[in-house]
Amino acid sequence: MGGVVATLALVVAAKAGVTMATRHENISAVWPATGVAIWILITFGHRMWPVIAAVTWLVEVGWAEFPPVPAALIAAGATLEALAGAWLWRAVRQWWPGDPGAAAGCCVAALVAPLANASMGAAVVISQGGVAVSVPQLWFTWWMGDAFGALALWPVLRAAPELGRMVRNEIVVDAARAVFLLLAVAGVSWLAFSFVRWRAFLFSVFPVLLLAMGWFGAAGARFGALLIAGAGITAEFAGHGLFGGGTGHSNLLQLQVFLASVAVAALVLPLFRVRGSMLVPVTVLLVGWTLSGWLFATLERDGRRRQQEAFNQQVAEAEAVIRLRMTR
C-alpha cells in the first residue's frame, strides 16, 4: 500500500513540475518529483527504481509530449539521479552519524545528484531542437529545479511520520498551534511575496520557521519551509511581489535561490536544538535577520531615490535641449 501511495505522490509531483515549466514543457525551475523519487528509494529500497523510470517516461511522453526514445533517456537520467541521491545521503550519514549527518546528507545529495541528470536532460532537449535558449541556461534551469525539489520536499517527506506521532500525543494543543502557524505562514507570505514596496518583510519568514521548530521540532520547520515555498511560487506565477518584475523565468530562478535558503535553514536550525540551549542561536539569528531586513529596505529605498534623481536629471536635460532648439 505504501508503495502505491508513493507512486501516486511521484505522479502528482511530476505533473506539478510540468505545470510550472517556463523554458520547455519538462524544464522547470521547480521540479518536486526529484525529492519524491529520492525519498521513495530511501524509504522503500532500491528495488523501486523501475517505478521511478516508468513514471518519468510516462510523464515525458504523455504530458511533456516527448518522443519515446528521448523520453527514455530523460527517464534514465532521473532514475540515476534518484539512485545517486539515495547513495550520497547514506554515504554522508555513515561518515557523519546523527541528525547533523542527515541534514548534511540532504544538502549534498540535493546539490550533487542533479548534476548528471541536468546534463543528460539538457542534451536531449537541445538535440530535439525548438528551444531558443543557450545550453548553460537550459542546464542551470534543469539543475536548479531538481536541486530545489530535493531540498524542499524530500526532508518534509522524511519528517512526516515524526510530525504525525507528535500530533497524536497532544492533538488538541497541537491542532491549535497548527492553525496558528498556518495563519502566521499565510500572513508573512502575503506580506513578503505580494507587495513589492514591502521587500523587508521577506525576512519575516525566518521567525516563523523558529516558531514552527519550537512547537513541532524539525518536522515543523520543514513543513513550514514547504508552505512558505508554496506561497512564494504561487505569488510568482500570479505575477505579484518581490520577484514579479522581470521575465518570468529569471524571477522564478531568483525566488528559488531565496526559497532554497529557507529550506536549508529548516534543515540546520533543529541542529541547534539538539545540541542544547536555543537562547543564544535564536537571539543571534533574529538579530541578524532583523538587521538584514532593515539593510535590505534601506538599500532598496536608496536605490529607488537614485533612480528617481537620475530620471529627473534626464528629463531636465531633455527639456533644456528642447527649449534651446525652440529658441533658434
Side-chain angles (χ1 to χ4, degrees), residues 228-245:
I228 292 168
I233 292 169
T234 301
E236 169 59 33
F237 277 94
H240 298 301
L242 176 62
F243 301 95

Side-chain angles (χ1 to χ4, degrees), residues 229-276:
I233 292 169
T234 301
E236 169 59 33
F237 277 94
H240 298 301
L242 176 62
F243 301 95
T247 63
H249 178 71
S250 63
N251 291 334
L252 187 56
L253 288 178
Q254 293 170 11
L255 173 65
Q256 295 306 90
V257 172
F258 173 74
L259 293 179
S261 71
V262 175
V264 172
L267 284 171
V268 173
L269 284 175
L271 302 181
F272 291 113
R273 187 178 187 180
V274 171
R275 296 209 172 258

Side-chain angles (χ1 to χ4, degrees), residues 157-311:
L157 293 172
R158 286 192 61 243
E162 175 191 344
L163 186 62
R165 289 191 296 269
M166 293 176 64
V167 171
R168 283 195 298 269
N169 292 337
E170 300 181 35
I171 187 167
V172 176
V173 175
D174 286 337
R177 289 175 172 176
V179 171
F180 181 84
L181 276 176
L182 287 174
L183 293 175
V185 169
V188 298
S189 298
W190 179 66
L191 291 173
F193 299 119
S194 297
F195 299 97
V196 176
R197 65 182 181 275
W198 292 354
R199 294 171 183 262
F201 282 98
L202 193 65
F203 296 88
S204 63
V205 302
F206 292 104
V208 175
L209 286 184
L210 287 176
L211 184 60
M213 183 192 63
W215 281 347
F216 296 105
R222 294 171 187 179
F223 273 92
L226 182 63
L227 292 174
I228 292 168
I233 292 169
T234 301
E236 169 59 33
F237 277 94
H240 298 301
L242 176 62
F243 301 95
T247 63
H249 178 71
S250 63
N251 291 334
L252 187 56
L253 288 178
Q254 293 170 11
L255 173 65
Q256 295 306 90
V257 172
F258 173 74
L259 293 179
S261 71
V262 175
V264 172
L267 284 171
V268 173
L269 284 175
L271 302 181
F272 291 113
R273 187 178 187 180
V274 171
R275 296 209 172 258
S277 173
M278 288 290 295
L279 179 60
V280 174
V282 165
T283 302
V284 172
L285 289 171
L286 286 177
V287 171
W289 290 330
T290 302
L291 291 175
S292 298
W294 172 79
L295 180 61
F296 188 88
T298 301
L299 293 175
E300 177 62 22
R301 184 175 61 252
D302 292 343
R304 288 199 300 268
R305 178 179 54 79
R306 288 192 296 269
Q307 290 176 356
Q308 185 63 43
E309 290 175 352
F311 175 75

